[in-house]
Amino acid sequence: MKSVSSKRLYQYWQDLRGDRPAPERRDIEPAAIKSLLSDVFILEHVSGTEFSYRLAGSSLCAAYCRELKGRSFRQYWNEEDLEALDTMMLAIREDAAAAVVGYHAINQRGQRAPFEMLLLPLRYGGKDYPRVLGIA
């Protein structure tokens, strides 16, 4: 991890999970990560390889020039990256794996911006890990 924000969110997640594979969604206390919230998001597993944004911070929405809540996570990735993305999301959901991804986002004007994304599993509703806490 290169990003200070990613490192801070990871440490918070580590502290919450203790000796468990991942913390519960209800363990997340927004006030504890107040300085990170504009860049934080939560994804929810919809079905198969599909995840959607459950919530997304204001800076992230501004970077995409739209509200992300309810939108597909996969729709913002290039076709050639989807197989790797699906494999990674499956490992997060089924194995409670954490992931760090470096990528370039491209806006509608073709401008590129580098990002680092951290994806952390969350247990929810007695199911394994259908939610993902992330920061970009």
Side-chain angles (χ1 to χ4, degrees):
M1 277 180 275
K2 298 176 184 176
S3 164
V4 172
S5 296
S6 293
K7 290 176 185 177
R8 288 180 56 210
L9 185 64
Y10 182 75
Q11 186 58 56
Y12 174 71
W13 180 83
Q14 281 280 73
D15 292 344
L16 287 179
R17 79 180 184 128
D19 60 356
R20 301 174 291 174
E24 296 280 341
R25 164 57 185 99
R26 68 176 178 257
D27 295 339
I28 304 298
E29 180 56 52
I33 54 173
K34 182 173 66 172
S35 66
L36 304 175
L37 288 179
S38 68
D39 297 318
V40 168
F41 59 91
I42 292 182
L43 302 174
E44 68 179 333
H45 180 244
V46 177
S47 66
T49 59
E50 189 62 46
F51 281 79
S52 67
Y53 285 94
R54 179 94 177 142
L55 62 86
S58 59
S59 292
L60 190 56
C61 291
Y64 284 90
C65 301
R66 64 183 47 108
E67 173 61 52
L68 295 175
K69 183 178 179 177
R71 294 183 183 268
S72 168
F73 180 66
R74 292 177 92 244
Q75 81 181 39
Y76 297 103
W77 296 86
N78 290 328
E79 189 70 33
E80 62 266 15
D81 296 327
L82 289 179
E83 184 177 343
L85 178 72
D86 292 345
T87 300
M88 179 183 66
M89 297 306 290
L90 181 66
I92 293 168
R93 186 170 56 86
E94 291 187 354
D95 302 330
V100 178
V101 179
Y103 67 99
H104 283 90
I106 303 171
N107 68 16
Q108 292 176 341
R109 292 178 277 176
Q111 297 167 314
R112 296 169 51 98
F115 282 89
E116 176 180 273
M117 181 182 299
L118 173 65
L119 300 165
L120 303 165
L122 295 174
R123 191 169 167 85
Y124 181 77
K127 299 177 183 170
D128 287 337
Y129 311 100
R131 298 273 168 99
V132 177
L133 174 65
I135 192 164

